[in-house]
Amino acid sequence: MATDPRLARIPDPRRTAASPQPPPPPPPSQIQQQSLGGYDGANDRDTNGLHENEQSTFKLKFCTVCASNQNRSMEAHLRLSLADYPVLSFGTGSLVRLPGPSITQPNVYPFNSTSYEEMYQELSAKDPRLYRANGLLAMLERNLSVKRGPERWQDWPIGKPRVDHQKDRGSKGSEGGVVDVVITCEERCWDAVVDNLLERGSPLNRPVHVINVDIKDNHEEALVGGRAILELAESLNVAAQEERQALEGNTSFDDRVPEILAEWQERWPQLPALWTLCWL
């Protein structure tokens, strides 16, 4: 088809028509990205509140000890566990001995292998009236709600995780098998604990305060002693928290223990106390 070349210089109105403008780009996203913190920490989240919360929830780990891990140590174990303290309990005797029908006929059981439930069932079958009257059955009912059975201090593998004791009261926090404070309930038990720690040779090189609170071995005195031990534990824990804050995480409150114990003794003069610093 022929075309006039002169018309080539005349723009074609169809080609010069304004083409529609493209739509404007979408506005930038309104989602604000959270800052991950500056390199110098200027924008980092303040963790002081979290640190203070950790300090306020810090708890010393306790261990209570009597001769048979039945009466005094178990009452204190229960009291401490109800106050959310990590706690273990032991006996220092060669065997577990409970009163029988006469002074020459005690009920004797081995440590570590006999449960409180087994003792309860046996005594209930022997003479339920006698053992209900002298408080043994009630004591065992309390004990079996705390842990499985009596443990012997000398057989305790210090530092070994207690994976088989997760159902014990006070097990949370004491799973590592170490404690900060040992509280015995009789001077001969205190002697046995201190002698045994010396024999072990402190393989963990970890300090432990060993305190004796002399409590008579009956149900009434055990209740009084349990309250006194809990009060002492609270005072020790407050001091440990203060020292932990002052020393930024350390818990060296050793120098304050004699003063704390002296103040506690003034409030509980009927419960003579001893103290020494040993090593696990």
Side-chain angles (χ1 to χ4, degrees), residues 11-70:
D12 188 346
R14 293 174 301 176
R15 299 191 178 203
T16 58
S19 61
Q21 295 293 326
S29 174
Q30 299 298 318
I31 300 177
Q32 297 181 355
Q33 295 185 353
Q34 184 177 2
S35 173
L36 298 179
Y39 289 108
D40 61 355
N43 297 326
D44 291 350
R45 182 170 59 96
D46 184 10
T47 59
N48 288 337
L50 177 61
H51 182 65
E52 292 176 359
N53 182 63
E54 291 176 351
Q55 301 291 358
S56 64
T57 59
F58 171 77
K59 296 281 189 179
L60 288 172
K61 302 175 181 64
F62 291 92
C63 174
T64 60
V65 181
C66 66
S68 292
N69 198 199
Q70 289 282 356

Side-chain angles (χ1 to χ4, degrees), residues 154-166:
Q154 293 86 340
D155 301 330
W156 174 33
I158 296 175
K160 180 180 178 180
R162 292 171 59 85
V163 295
D164 297 330
H165 296 267
Q166 297 179 359

Side-chain angles (χ1 to χ4, degrees), residues 185-206:
C185 301
E186 188 175 344
E187 187 170 349
R188 62 171 177 162
C189 299
W190 186 79
D191 291 336
V193 167
V194 172
D195 290 344
N196 179 256
L197 288 175
L198 292 174
E199 292 173 0
R200 291 177 187 252
S202 60
L204 303 182
N205 197 32
R206 178 188 176 99

Side-chain angles (χ1 to χ4, degrees), residues 8-192:
R9 294 191 294 268
I10 302 175
D12 188 346
R14 293 174 301 176
R15 299 191 178 203
T16 58
S19 61
Q21 295 293 326
S29 174
Q30 299 298 318
I31 300 177
Q32 297 181 355
Q33 295 185 353
Q34 184 177 2
S35 173
L36 298 179
Y39 289 108
D40 61 355
N43 297 326
D44 291 350
R45 182 170 59 96
D46 184 10
T47 59
N48 288 337
L50 177 61
H51 182 65
E52 292 176 359
N53 182 63
E54 291 176 351
Q55 301 291 358
S56 64
T57 59
F58 171 77
K59 296 281 189 179
L60 288 172
K61 302 175 181 64
F62 291 92
C63 174
T64 60
V65 181
C66 66
S68 292
N69 198 199
Q70 289 282 356
N71 184 31
R72 297 163 291 178
S73 65
M74 288 300 289
E75 177 63 30
H77 185 147
L78 177 61
R79 295 255 179 184
L80 291 169
S81 67
L82 291 175
D84 293 328
Y85 284 102
V87 57
L88 312 176
S89 62
F90 298 95
T92 58
S94 57
L95 293 167
V96 176
R97 290 179 171 84
L98 297 177
S102 69
I103 194 172
T104 59
Q105 296 177 296
N107 294 284
V108 181
Y109 305 94
F111 277 102
N112 307 322
S113 59
T114 310
S115 69
Y116 294 120
E117 177 66 29
E118 291 169 339
M119 298 177 192
Y120 181 85
Q121 296 298 336
E122 180 177 312
L123 296 183
S124 296
K126 282 184 176 179
D127 193 337
R129 183 176 180 181
L130 169 64
Y131 295 119
R132 180 64 66 181
N134 66 9
L136 280 188
L137 293 182
M139 180 188 73
L140 290 170
E141 288 170 354
R142 175 202 64 197
N143 293 353
L144 60 87
S145 72
V146 175
K147 65 177 189 175
R148 179 185 178 277
E151 302 173 76
R152 188 168 184 258
W153 167 272
Q154 293 86 340
D155 301 330
W156 174 33
I158 296 175
K160 180 180 178 180
R162 292 171 59 85
V163 295
D164 297 330
H165 296 267
Q166 297 179 359
K167 295 182 179 180
D168 294 357
R169 284 187 178 271
S171 63
K172 185 178 180 180
S174 62
E175 306 93 336
V178 293
V179 296
D180 302 303
V181 181
V182 177
I183 301 179
T184 62
C185 301
E186 188 175 344
E187 187 170 349
R188 62 171 177 162
C189 299
W190 186 79
D191 291 336

